[in-house]
Structures are given as C-alpha cells and as structure tokens.
Amino acid sequence: MNIRTRRGALRTGTALALTTVLAFTATACGDDGSSGGGGKGDEGSGKGEITFWDNNTAVRRDVWMEIIKDFEKKYPDIKVKYVGIPAENVQSKYDTAIQGGGLPDVGGVGTAMLAGIAAQQALEPLDDRLATSSLNGKLNNAFLESVKAAGGSGSDLYTVPTSANNGVLYYRTDLFEKAGLDAPETWTKFFAAATELTATGKNEFGYTIRGGEGSIAQALDVMYGQSGITSFWDADNTKTTVNDPKNVAALAKYAGLYKKATPSADVNNDFTKMVSQFDNGKIGMLSHNLGSYGDHVKAFGDKFRGLPNPTGDTGTRVQVSNPVDGLGLFKASKNKKAAWQFIEFAASHAENSKWNESAKQIPANTEAAKDDWVQKSEPTKLAAAALESGSTKIVQLPYYLPDWNTISKADNEDDFQKVLLGKQTAKQFLDTLAEQLNKAQAEWKEQAN
C-alpha cells in the first residue's frame, strides 16, 4: 500500500470514527451545567456556576482571571469555574469530552479547530444571539467572515471572535535610510530593497526567509499578496488556485531570494531562528506576526517599523487569513443564558481590550481596536486599521478541511525546502499541493452532503 492509499484509508477510518461519535453523542445527555457531549442543554436561570475552558492557559491564565473577576463583580449571581488547558492538548480534550461527556459551558475555540468541533454538532449557532446583543455591529467584519468560513458552512457563526494575529513585514528604518530606500510598502519596493541591502561579503542580507517549520503559511501569504488572487478556490469551489500561473510566478520570485538576498541557513528556519537572526542586526526585513514585536523593540528600540503586508503596485493589499481566536457556547450547557452573558462580557470593549493588550494581538471589538495601547503599537494599529477598513482582501484558508494541517505542514514542508534549494520547481511544488487540496476538498464536500 503506497503512502497516498494509506492516507485515504486513514481518512475513511476517521470518517467512520466520526460517525460513531455522532451516533453516541446524539443520545448523550449532560448531567449538570457543564457536561454532556451532544445534549441540547437548556437556557437555564442565568444564575449559578458555569465552566470556562481556556484554550491556551500557559500564556493567558492571568488575564482571564482578571476578566473573570470583573465579570463576577458585575454579575454576582454567576460564578465562573476556570479550567486552563495547554494549547497543544485542547483539541484532544474537546474531542474526548464530545464523545464521553464533560464539555464546558463556554470554551476558547479558534479557527484551527472550529470545523472539527462544529461538525460533531457540539457548538450552539450564535447568529441569532449576536443579532440581539450589545456586540452586534461592534465586531470586526473580517474576523466574523474568517470564523464563519472556518466553521465549514461559510454562513453559520459558531464562535464569537475575540482576537487575531496578523502578518507583519518588519524592516530596519536605519538601514533603509542609510541606503536611501523607500519603506517597503509595495512588493516592488520589497524585492528591490531585499537586493539593495544585501552584501554577502559582509554577511549582510536584505531579508530572512522561513524555510523550516511553518514555512508554507508564510509562503502562501507572500504568494497571494503578490499575485493579487483573492480566492483560495475557483468559482465552483472545487479546485484550488494555489497553482494558478500567477501564484507559480509569485512563489518562484519569492523562493529566488534564498541565498541571493538571504542567509543560506534560512532553509532550516522556524520562527524562533528567523526572529533571532533578524534581531542580531544584519538583516533588513523579516516577515512574521505581531507576536515578535516586543523582541524587536528590545533589539532595536525605535530603529524599526512593522507594516501590514505590502500592496500590489495598484495599491490593493491581499493576504491569507490568519488564525482567529474566539469563544464558543456548547450545546450541552444547562445554563446558556449565563454562558452567553460571559461571552458578551469577555468580548465587550473594556475586557476585549484588556485581553488583547496582554496578548499583543488585534482586538475583535472595533471600539477596543481604537484604544490608546493599540495606537502606541504601530504594527497593531496599522493591522487593525487595514482589516477594519475593508480595503484588505482576505484569502480564506480552508481550516475546515480535516487534512488542512497535515497538507500545509508535515506533508509539504520538506518539498518547499527542495524549491529553495533548486531541487524542485515552484510549479512542481504547487501542482502537488493543489492535487492534495483538491482531493481533500472533494472528500469534505462528499461527506458534508
């Protein structure tokens, strides 16, 4: 049995397992306000205890405890039981609870895992609740579109967005000024600067490229940004656009920077190595996200800037969707009224601002996105403005595909390195990627019908 056949068999097994889980949970019933895999739950009295699962306790526990304290002060008849779960364990924790009972009332559910949980009918649709909520009209539309797309149907809201990271092009303002270069606000200026700032004999480079773990997401972002293609699928929603000739040319140009305008060690770069290399001081530009902003401040003070992805020469900015975090309401909850009040509160102006200031991410609440701390963090401010304005075209990545994480990481990162090393062409790489994606899309559509 070859590797492709084995993967098909694994997908079939996963589908059968999911059918078994659905059959089991359809008859399950929670025995209290925070359990049950597939019960319908109840609105409840709006008082009592609710359980909240934090999906990244390692770095967010303290700020959630502050938010819970604020909530319990405003709603003294509701108590929130906090359960912290490390990010690497949260998917399996949810899957186990869906099958065997013990789901929370409210849980952190981001776009990366949303489709799998929604497919098991564990989440309450939130469209009607949002329509009559104080949050209505106050959440970033791009975030709402992303979570709806990630849910699988493209139209149902299964999690209230709370924050997002965003791609940022960091550049050394002192090096640009010394070379007499304009800010890399367009892709044309970006590529020109990458070449101009490179002096290999002095170990100076215009850019550092991500060739190791996590490389494909960054490559897709740069690729679609250059090509200007705004949809991941064709008009029939059956074939991906990743191997469109414009994307092939864009990827070839991007990969062509390797060793010509980047260090040769970049072929093994994950984000930690890439950020460290940039902060060492001899590289002009870095593509990462808001998460590394603090590191660059420590390294360079005010001698750098962070911009949203460059635009095309026409001024249009295209970027792929970034993971959006959010809060989901579980169907099995016996106190949905209180659980929804907690979601509303956590996504409100003051609390959403508090959470995102701690995380250094973009608030989903548009009022929070205008707060002082956002204005003082230029990359966050510019990213929030670009997303809120509607001028940025978002290519929605298919997080809903069961095979997405495997295809976009383990299955193809080695082949992307071959592109950088000249052992495979950009077209060969993207044709293989497209074949895998088209097959996964067809299987998903078949199972959804």
Side-chain angles (χ1 to χ4, degrees):
M1 182 183 288
N2 64 37
I3 194 166
R4 297 294 174 200
T5 305
R6 284 200 300 271
R7 285 178 185 148
L10 285 170
R11 281 191 286 265
T12 302
T14 300
L16 289 172
L18 179 56
T19 302
T20 302
V21 169
L22 291 174
F24 176 84
T25 57
T27 58
C29 180
D31 57 2
D32 59 33
S34 63
S35 66
K40 293 182 179 179
D42 195 88
E43 285 298 307
S45 65
K47 301 178 180 180
E49 184 177 86
I50 60 171
T51 298
F52 164 59
W53 284 9
D54 175 11
N55 59 337
N56 194 1
T57 188
V59 293
R60 305 290 177 243
R61 183 185 186 280
D62 290 347
V63 69
W64 272 121
M65 297 307 290
E66 289 183 30
I67 292 169
I68 289 169
K69 183 179 178 180
D70 294 344
F71 176 77
E72 291 179 342
K73 183 178 180 179
K74 182 174 182 178
Y75 298 98
D77 292 330
I78 305 173
K79 299 300 177 185
V80 179
K81 179 183 178 183
Y82 173 91
V83 179
I85 303 170
E88 61 270 21
N89 298 333
V90 71
Q91 178 74 66
S92 62
K93 186 81 171 177
Y94 278 132
D95 288 342
T96 300
I98 290 170
Q99 183 171 357
L103 280 168
D105 300 278
V106 179
V109 183
T111 48
M113 70 182 75
L114 181 57
I117 298 173
Q120 297 178 73
Q121 301 180 0
L123 290 167
E124 184 89 354
L126 300 175
D127 304 84
D128 292 343
R129 293 179 192 268
L130 181 60
T132 58
S133 167
S134 59
L135 292 175
N136 192 31
K138 295 182 180 179
L139 296 177
N140 188 300
N141 284 327
F143 293 11
L144 287 169
E145 290 174 8
S146 288
V147 297
K148 287 182 178 182
S153 70
S155 59
D156 296 321
L157 182 71
Y158 288 111
T159 189
V160 170
T162 54
S163 69
N165 217 323
N166 204 61
V168 179
L169 178 63
Y170 293 105
Y171 74 99
R172 291 280 305 281
T173 51
D174 54 339
L175 299 183
F176 271 70
E177 289 171 5
K178 183 178 179 181
L181 294 169
D182 293 334
E185 295 176 342
T186 68
W187 287 110
T188 297
K189 291 179 180 179
F190 163 80
F191 281 104
T195 300
E196 184 68 22
L197 293 173
T198 297
T200 54
K202 299 178 181 179
N203 202 33
E204 297 173 354
F205 299 93
Y207 186 62
T208 175
I209 203 167
R210 190 166 183 167
E213 183 181 351
S215 60
I216 293 175
Q218 182 170 298
L220 290 174
D221 207 16
V222 175
M223 191 173 81
Y224 277 95
Q226 290 180 74
S227 73
I229 295 171
T230 58
S231 176
F232 197 79
W233 302 103
D234 64 8
D236 294 329
N237 211 33
T238 57
K239 293 188 181 300
T240 181
T241 58
V242 294
N243 61 338
D244 182 283
K246 291 181 180 178
N247 276 334
V248 172
L251 184 63
K253 188 171 185 178
Y254 171 66
L257 291 174
Y258 176 66
K259 289 182 71 173
K260 294 179 181 177
T262 79
S264 59
D266 281 8
V267 71
N268 294 312
N269 268 356
D270 58 11
F271 87 90
T272 304
K273 294 175 184 174
M274 184 176 63
V275 169
S276 175
Q277 190 163 255
F278 178 71
D279 288 346
N280 280 339
K282 290 200 170 185
I283 292 176
M285 295 180 290
L286 162 75
S287 297
H288 191 228
N289 57 46
L290 294 167
S292 60
Y293 176 70
D295 294 324
H296 310 321
V297 172
K298 291 177 183 177
F300 305 120
D302 61 356
K303 296 179 180 179
F304 81 101
R305 287 187 70 196
L307 302 174
N309 279 358
T311 69
D313 290 337
T314 62
T316 300
R317 177 177 289 110
V318 178
Q319 68 178 57
V320 300
S321 55
N322 283 274
V324 176
D325 210 358
L327 296 171
L329 173 60
F330 285 87
K331 280 186 177 181
S333 171
K334 301 292 179 153
N335 202 349
K336 293 178 185 175
K337 184 177 180 180
W340 175 250
Q341 281 184 298
F342 178 68
I343 292 174
E344 279 187 308
F345 184 83
S348 66
H349 177 177
E351 305 305 317
N352 190 238
S353 184
K354 180 182 294 185
W355 194 96
N356 280 281
E357 184 176 9
S358 172
K360 295 295 184 286
Q361 294 189 10
I362 306 170
N365 188 298
T366 54
E367 293 176 334
K370 298 174 184 176
D371 283 352
D372 286 346
W373 71 268
V374 177
Q375 307 311 306
K376 292 175 182 176
S377 174
E378 187 183 37
T380 309
K381 173 185 175 182
L382 294 175
L387 292 174
E388 188 179 345
S389 69
S391 61
T392 298
K393 307 299 182 183
I394 306 294
V395 179
Q396 298 293 347
L397 297 179
Y399 298 115
Y400 58 84
L401 291 178
D403 288 347
W404 170 248
N405 283 334
T406 302
I407 291 172
S408 63
K409 294 178 182 177
D411 273 6
N412 289 292
E413 286 178 343
D414 287 350
D415 283 347
F416 181 68
Q417 289 180 322
K418 292 178 183 177
V419 176
L420 295 181
L421 294 169
K423 296 179 179 179
Q424 191 175 125
T425 67
K427 185 177 188 307
Q428 288 171 329
F429 172 76
L430 291 175
D431 282 346
T432 299
L433 185 63
E435 182 182 357
Q436 295 170 0
L437 287 164
N438 293 340
K439 184 176 181 180
Q441 176 79 339
E443 290 175 352
W444 177 79
K445 292 175 76 172
E446 182 179 350
Q447 292 174 13
N449 291 332

